[in-house]
Amino acid sequence: MLEKDSEWILPENLREQEDRERRAVENGNFDGGGDFGSYYAYYRGINYDFIRLHVIADDQKAFEYASHIDTVLKRHDLGLKGHIIDIGCAIGSLSNAIARLNPHGKTYGLDISRYSIEVAKNRYPNVLFFCQSADSLDNFDDAAFDVIHAREFYPFTRTNDADYHLKYLKLFHSKLKAHGCVLLQMVDLEKGFCNTYEMMSRDIGEMGYAAIEKISLVPNRMVHLFGDLSYAAGIYPILRLASKMLFRIIGRRSFQYLYILTKK
């Protein structure tokens, strides 16, 4: 059951939150602490810095992220190609980066925020954007996508309700082609998929997914230096250990992780 203090992630509550944060921006009372207010401030041209706290807004950094994910996928005989949807796309920077790596496919972006989608449509006409919640994807055919990507997507990062996670994974499974994959990228948090995926392994298998793969992502700078070799069997463990040591020195507490769920 969804925790009381996590009910704000429900789609109907998120829409109300967007309206509250929009009014705060218009009244000059917004401090940059919320996603929706940051999107609205960006949309209105009031503040272009707030958004950096919430999404990868820089095109070059977004492309580095997408290239990094693609490097990992190639080691698993997968890739960012075909029909791809980026769920929780914000202003579309990552969707655009994925599209650049997917020139012969089709890339979609989806977000519940109407203001972020307006920005995305204006910035990236090469991507098809939709303003809607991800709990209903009836406007897309079943078996429509080769890849469903979500980075720090609320249903998987703000609750330990396994049934809520399974609800989305069941929906995503219906929209995947055979051997397509769901990509969930996030850090380990007090609440989130990181705490539920192991207990859900049987349910996920019965749903029609292969075993979940959890991959610790090495820093982008290392991928830039070592390229496709970053995740090679003989190099990856060394880079991962070096990353842990570096994180301890700089006081960073958590790795970035990529969860791969492939449809059987």
Side-chain angles (χ1 to χ4, degrees):
M1 184 175 180
L2 195 66
E3 305 92 337
K4 189 70 176 177
D5 62 354
S6 294
E7 290 181 351
W8 63 271
I9 69 173
L10 294 170
E12 60 271 24
N13 294 335
L14 290 176
R15 293 187 180 96
E16 292 178 1
Q17 182 176 332
E18 180 170 47
D19 287 337
R20 288 195 300 271
E21 292 187 14
R22 172 185 55 78
R23 290 193 295 269
V25 172
E26 292 175 344
N27 294 333
N29 299 324
F30 183 70
D31 62 0
D35 293 356
F36 295 121
S38 299
Y39 300 156
Y40 183 69
Y42 193 100
Y43 167 74
R44 288 287 308 276
I46 295 170
N47 187 298
Y48 295 112
D49 294 323
F50 287 154
I51 202 167
R52 296 177 186 174
L53 299 173
H54 306 282
V55 301
I56 300 176
D58 178 80
D59 286 337
Q60 181 57 37
K61 290 182 179 179
F63 188 71
E64 290 173 0
Y65 167 88
S67 299
H68 187 165
I69 298 300
D70 199 43
T71 296
V72 175
L73 295 179
K74 287 175 181 176
R75 287 284 167 182
H76 294 77
D77 297 320
L78 299 167
L80 292 175
K81 56 186 177 181
H83 282 61
I84 304 174
I85 186 165
D86 178 26
I87 292 183
C89 69
I91 62 170
S93 306
L94 293 184
S95 310
N96 175 64
I98 291 169
R100 289 173 61 187
L101 294 171
N102 185 35
H104 304 297
K106 188 173 288 187
T107 304
Y108 304 79
L110 182 149
D111 201 282
I112 198 170
S113 168
R114 57 190 182 274
Y115 301 113
S116 69
I117 289 297
E118 283 301 315
V119 172
K121 287 179 177 179
N122 289 329
R123 289 183 67 176
Y124 308 113
N126 57 317
V127 178
L128 297 172
F129 289 104
F130 296 84
C131 180
Q132 66 185 77
S133 169
D135 66 342
S136 176
L137 300 175
D138 293 341
N139 50 320
F140 299 101
D141 293 335
D142 287 347
F145 300 110
D146 297 282
V147 178
I148 296 176
H149 168 268
R151 179 181 183 271
E152 299 291 342
F153 181 50
Y154 281 156
F156 297 108
T157 62
R158 297 297 189 274
T159 178
N160 285 328
D161 184 353
D163 289 336
Y164 198 63
H165 296 160
L166 288 169
K167 168 190 169 182
Y168 280 88
L169 292 177
K170 183 178 181 180
L171 174 59
F172 291 174
H173 185 274
S174 71
K175 299 302 175 181
L176 279 177
K177 297 179 182 179
H179 311 301
C181 63
V182 175
L183 307 176
L184 304 177
Q185 197 276 308
M186 65 194 82
V187 298
D188 280 356
L189 297 169
E190 181 180 341
K191 291 183 179 181
F193 189 71
C194 57
N195 302 313
T196 63
Y197 78 98
E198 290 180 320
M199 71 177 72
M200 295 190 302
S201 59
R202 182 175 179 178
D203 293 313
I204 288 172
E206 292 176 350
M207 197 178 288
Y209 289 104
I212 299 172
E213 297 183 70
K214 179 182 180 181
I215 299 163
S216 301
L217 298 178
V218 300
N220 281 334
R221 291 182 181 180
M222 291 185 178
V223 177
H224 182 73
L225 287 173
F226 294 95
D228 291 347
L229 294 176
S230 302
Y231 290 89
I235 295 179
Y236 174 58
I238 298 172
L239 295 183
R240 184 180 175 187
L241 178 60
S243 299
K244 284 186 175 181
M245 295 174 64
L246 175 62
F247 288 178
R248 286 174 184 168
I249 292 171
I250 65 177
R252 180 171 163 180
R253 293 182 295 174
S254 182
F255 265 87
Q256 297 278 340
Y257 292 98
L258 180 68
Y259 298 85
I260 303 176
L261 296 86
T262 304
K263 185 173 182 176
K264 295 177 183 177

